[in-house]
Amino acid sequence: MGKNKGGAAKGGDSKDTKLKAANAVSVRHILCEKHSKAMEALAKLEAGERFDTVATQFSEDKAKQGGNLGWMVRGSMVGAFQDAAFALQPSTCVKPIYTNPPVKTQFGYHIIMVEGRKN
C-alpha cells in the first residue's frame, strides 16, 4: 500500500482524502472479457502508460476512445461498477488512480478510473 497510483477502490475513506458526495462521475474504463487480458492491461498501467492509451489498445467495448464513457449518473451503472466508480478519487490519464484488482461484472473485467465528480 502507500502507492499513489492504483490501489483498490474498496475501503475508500481515508482521513485526508475523504470524497464529497456526488450524483455523477466522469468515467473511463478498460473492459476485457478475459481476466488474463485485464491483467495485461493492468501491467501496462503499472509500468506508467497513459490510461487512455492502454484503453485504446485493450478495451473490448464501444468506449474505444480512450475508454471514455462520459458522465454517468448514480443508478445508470451495474452495481459493482458503480460502487467502484463512486469510491475512486478523480485523477488524470497521465497519473490515473484506478481499480486494482479489476472489477468483475456480467460484461467482463473493468479497470475503472474517474476524471470528475459532480452533484
Side-chain angles (χ1 to χ4, degrees):
M1 295 303 248
K3 271 178 140 186
N4 227 357
K5 195 184 338 180
K10 295 167 186 69
D13 292 23
S14 65
K15 294 170 196 109
D16 57 348
T17 57
K18 190 152 179 149
L19 291 170
K20 291 190 171 116
N23 291 322
V25 286
S26 177
V27 184
R28 286 183 185 266
H29 80 151
I30 299 166
L31 173 63
C32 300
E33 193 177 317
K34 291 189 168 31
H35 186 261
S36 59
K37 189 168 181 187
M39 297 315 285
E40 261 184 77
L42 208 50
K44 295 268 190 192
L45 292 171
E46 288 170 351
E49 288 197 33
R50 289 178 56 102
F51 193 94
D52 52 353
T53 303
V54 177
T56 301
Q57 291 171 350
F58 285 86
S59 198
E60 299 171 354
D61 71 339
K62 65 180 195 264
K64 278 271 190 196
Q65 300 288 16
N68 193 358
L69 298 174
W71 286 96
M72 300 192 69
V73 295
R74 202 178 283 276
S76 69
M77 300 166 265
V78 294
F81 186 102
Q82 177 171 285
D83 294 345
F86 279 96
L88 283 167
Q89 288 281 356
S91 61
T92 65
C93 286
V94 177
K95 289 191 178 274
I97 297 170
Y98 47 83
T99 53
N100 184 2
V103 175
K104 173 86 167 99
T105 71
Q106 69 262 40
F107 302 107
Y109 296 88
H110 305 262
I111 302 168
I112 305 163
M113 72 162 284
V114 169
E115 291 184 298
R117 299 167 62 87
K118 66 183 180 184
N119 280 328

